[in-house]
C-alpha cells in the first residue's frame, strides 16, 4: 500500500548512513554527561560503549524484520495487526516522531536563549527553522538526506578538546569498574535516549536501492555516534571532577568557555551555533517521516500534510519554553523510545521469525 516508489526517486544505500547518523546524534544534545555521571560516576564511559553495542543488536533485529517483509514498518503493522490496530500503532509512531523533533528543537532554542540571545522570543527561531525544514521536505527525501549530511560537521568540534588537554585529570577515571552491575544497568536506561532515532530507517527502508545493502551503513552510523558520545563523555570526565560534572546542565558548552582562539573571544557561541547542524536535519527528517506515514494511512498527499505538521511542531515547541518542561519532554521521549527499542522491535522480530518458520 503506497510503496510503489519510482526507480528515479530511489536513493543509494550509503545515504542510509546520513539518515540514521543525524537522528542518533540529536537527542543527547550536550546534556547526557551529567545525567549518566550521577548514576555510573567515573564508569560512565563504559555505559556508553555498552549502549552502542546494544543498539547494534537492535539494528540487527530491525533489518531481520525489514528484509523478511521487504516493506516499511507502516505496511508491516497493517499486515500483522490489521488495518485498525496497525494504523493505531502508526499513529503512535507519528506522536513519537513529533515528540522527538519537538524536543530537539525546543532544547536548541533554550540553549540559544541562555547562551546567546536572552531576549530572543521562542516563536521567531521556531518559525524560521520550521520554514526551512518544510522547504527541504517539499524537495523530497533526497534533499532531506542531503541536509542530514551536514550533521557530520559536528565531528570538527571534537578537535577542540585538544585545547583542553592541559586541564585534563586522568585520575578522575579511577577506580575503574567501581560500580555494581545494577548501577551500570540503570545507567544504560539513562543513556538509551541519546542513541534513539535510528528507528527512522523503519520508515525510509523502501526508498533505497537494494535496501538490504543499507544495513552495513546503519551499523557504521551507530559506530560513529558511539565514538562521538564516547569522546564527549571521556573529555567531560577528564575535565570536571565527578561532583562538578553532576551540577553542569550543558557540560560541553561549559568546556567551550575555556577554549582560547585568536579573533574568537567566546568560543561557546560558535559551539552553540554549530548545534544548528544537528537540529535542522532532525527536524527535516521527522517532518518528512510523519507526513509519509500519514500518506500511507490516508492517501493524503505529502504536500498537503507538511504544513499541518509544521504547525503542530510550532505549537509543541512553543509549549516547551522552559528548561523544566523540556526535561519532562525528554524524559517522556526516553520512556517512549525505550518501549520501542526494548519491547516493540523485539516483539516484531519474534513475530516475523515465527511467520518465517511457519512458511518454511
Amino acid at each position: 500500500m503506497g510503496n510503489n516508489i519510482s526507480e528515479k526517486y530511489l536513493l543509494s544505500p550509503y545515504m542510509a548512513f546520513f539518515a540514521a547518523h543525524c537522528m542518533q546524534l540529536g537527542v543527547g544534545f550536550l546534556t547526557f554527561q551529567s545525567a549518566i555521571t550521577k548514576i555510573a560516576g567515573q564508569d560512565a564511559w563504559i555505559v556508553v560503549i555498552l549502549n552502542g553495542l546494544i543498539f547494534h543488536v537492535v539494528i540487527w533485529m530491525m533489518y531481520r524484520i525489514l528484509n523478511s517483509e521487504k516493506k516499511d514498518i507502516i505496511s508491516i503493522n497493517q499486515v500483522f495487526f490489521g488495518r485498525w490496530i496497525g494504523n493505531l500503532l502508526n499513529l503512535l509512531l507519528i506522536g513519537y516522531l513529533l515528540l522527538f523533533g519537538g524536543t530537539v528543537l525546543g532544547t536548541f532554542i533554550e540553549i540559544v536563549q541562555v547562551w546567546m540571545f536572552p531576549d530572543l522570543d521562542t516563536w521567531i527561531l521556531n518559525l524560521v527553522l520550521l520554514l526551512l525544514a518544510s522547504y527541504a521536505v517539499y524537495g523530497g527525501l533526497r534533499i532531506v538526506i542531503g541536509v542530514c549530511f551536514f550533521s557530520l560537521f559536528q565531528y570538527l568540534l571534537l578537535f577542540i578538546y585538544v585545547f583542553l588537554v592541559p586541564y585534563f585529570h586522568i585520575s578522575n577515571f579511577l577506580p575503574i569498574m567501581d560500580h555494581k552491575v545494577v548501577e551500570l544497568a540503570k545507567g544504560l536506561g539513562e543513556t538509551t535516549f541519546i542513541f534513539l532515532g535510528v528507528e527512522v530507517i523503519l520508515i525510509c527502508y523502501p526508498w533505497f536501492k537494494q535496501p538490504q545493502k543499507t544495513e552495513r551503513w546503519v551499523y557504521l552510523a551507530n559506530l560513529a555516534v558511539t565514538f562521538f558520545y564516547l569522546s564527549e563523555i571521556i573529555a567531560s570526565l577528564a575535565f570536571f571532577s565527578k561532583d562538578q560534572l553532576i551540577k553542569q546542565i550543558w557540560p560541553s558548552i561549559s568546556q567551550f568557555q575555556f577554549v582560547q582562539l585568536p579573533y574568537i573571544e567566546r568560543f561557546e557561541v560558535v559551539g552553540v551555533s554549530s548545534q544548528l547542524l544537528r537540529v535542522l536535519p532532525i527536524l527535516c527528517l521527522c517532518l518528512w517521516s510523519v507526513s509519509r506515514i500519514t500518506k500511507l494511512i490516508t492517501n493524503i498527499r505529502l504536500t498537503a500534510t507538511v504544513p499541518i505538521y509544521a504547525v503542530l511542531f510550532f505549537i509543541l515547541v512553543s509549549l516547551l519554553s522552559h528548561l523544566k518542561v523540556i526535561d519532562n519532554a525528554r524524559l517522556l521521549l526516553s520512556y517512549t523510545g525505550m518501549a520501542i527499542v526494548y519491547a516493540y522491535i523485539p516483539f516484531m522480530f519474534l513475530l516475523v521469525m515465527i511467520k518465517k518458520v511457519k512458511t518454511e
Side-chain angles (χ1 to χ4, degrees):
M1 177 181 176
N3 276 337
N4 297 322
I5 303 168
S6 175
E7 182 73 23
K8 67 179 181 179
Y9 295 119
L10 294 181
L11 309 175
S12 299
Y14 74 87
M15 299 184 82
F17 172 88
F18 301 125
H21 176 270
C22 88
M23 290 291 283
Q24 279 191 292
L25 202 60
V27 185
F29 227 124
L30 313 175
T31 63
F32 78 98
Q33 300 101 309
S34 55
I36 185 177
T37 304
K38 289 179 184 178
I39 299 170
Q42 72 276 13
D43 291 328
W45 62 276
I46 299 175
V47 175
V48 172
I49 294 175
L50 291 175
N51 242 323
L53 293 174
I54 289 173
F55 268 79
H56 259 59
V57 177
V58 171
I59 293 168
W60 179 83
M61 287 192 288
M62 282 171 44
Y63 271 92
R64 302 291 74 74
I65 297 168
L66 295 170
N67 291 342
S68 178
E69 296 299 311
K70 295 180 173 58
K71 301 173 183 175
D72 55 38
I73 197 63
I74 300 96
S75 301
I76 293 173
N77 282 335
Q78 293 168 342
V79 169
F80 277 89
F81 302 107
R83 180 182 175 186
W84 295 104
I85 298 178
N87 283 339
L88 176 61
L89 290 172
N90 293 332
L91 288 174
L92 292 174
L93 187 57
I94 288 176
Y96 168 71
L97 289 166
L98 285 172
L99 181 62
F100 194 107
T103 301
V104 171
L105 180 54
T107 302
F108 174 67
I109 293 175
E110 177 72 15
I111 292 174
V112 169
Q113 289 173 328
V114 171
W115 289 90
M116 294 177 64
F117 304 111
D119 298 325
L120 177 69
D121 290 329
T122 300
W123 70 268
I124 297 176
L125 194 53
N126 190 3
L127 179 62
V128 170
L129 292 179
L130 283 170
L131 287 174
L132 287 172
S134 300
Y135 180 75
V137 171
Y138 278 128
L141 184 58
R142 188 179 299 275
I143 300 299
V144 171
I145 299 293
V147 175
C148 293
F149 167 79
F150 291 103
S151 64
L152 292 175
F153 286 100
Q154 284 295 298
Y155 288 89
L156 294 176
L157 289 178
L158 296 182
F159 292 103
I160 298 302
Y161 291 130
V162 173
F163 295 94
L164 301 178
V165 170
Y167 302 101
F168 285 178
H169 300 279
I170 305 302
S171 59
N172 289 352
F173 294 95
L174 302 175
I176 297 176
M177 291 296 291
D178 188 45
H179 292 75
K180 298 177 182 178
V181 174
V182 175
E183 292 173 313
L184 294 179
K186 191 175 179 181
L188 286 174
E190 282 290 330
T191 51
T192 295
F193 79 96
I194 69 175
F195 285 91
L196 294 177
V198 71
E199 313 88 60
V200 75
I201 296 298
L202 294 169
I203 303 166
C204 301
Y205 181 81
W207 287 81
F208 295 103
K209 298 173 185 176
Q210 298 177 303
Q212 297 88 344
K213 291 187 177 181
T214 62
E215 184 173 0
R216 64 172 178 262
W217 291 104
V218 178
Y219 284 133
L220 184 60
N222 185 62
L223 181 63
V225 169
T226 302
F227 168 76
F228 185 88
Y229 285 134
L230 184 61
S231 300
E232 285 198 320
I233 190 64
I234 288 176
S236 296
L237 287 170
F239 187 83
F240 298 104
S241 69
K242 178 181 174 181
D243 293 335
Q244 288 174 328
L245 185 54
I246 289 173
K247 295 176 183 178
Q248 295 292 326
I249 299 177
W250 296 295
S252 295
I253 302 179
S254 298
Q255 287 174 287
F256 292 155
Q257 289 182 297
F258 289 83
V259 177
Q260 301 293 327
L261 293 176
Y263 308 112
I264 300 179
E265 185 175 348
R266 295 182 59 200
F267 187 81
E268 67 271 19
V269 173
V270 177
V272 170
S273 302
S274 70
Q275 301 311 305
L276 181 62
L277 300 177
R278 276 182 172 183
V279 177
L280 188 58
I282 292 172
L283 198 56
C284 292
L285 205 45
C286 286
L287 188 56
W288 180 90
S289 297
V290 294
S291 299
R292 173 66 182 170
I293 295 172
T294 304
K295 182 180 186 299
L296 291 176
I297 294 175
T298 64
N299 270 335
I300 299 175
R301 292 174 63 85
L302 184 141
T303 52
T305 57
V306 168
I308 297 173
Y309 282 118
V311 171
L312 288 177
F313 270 119
F314 183 85
I315 295 172
L316 177 60
V317 174
S318 296
L319 295 174
L320 301 176
S321 57
H322 298 288
L323 185 59
K324 188 173 180 60
V325 180
I326 293 173
D327 286 341
N328 290 334
R330 191 183 296 115
L331 187 61
L332 177 60
L333 177 64
S334 180
Y335 288 140
T336 307
M338 284 193 289
I340 292 174
V341 169
Y342 295 132
Y344 172 71
I345 291 177
F347 179 68
M348 292 301 299
F349 170 75
L350 288 175
L351 288 182
V352 168
M353 291 300 103
I354 291 171
K355 177 184 176 182
K356 188 174 181 180
V357 170
K358 285 184 177 180
T359 54
E360 291 177 353

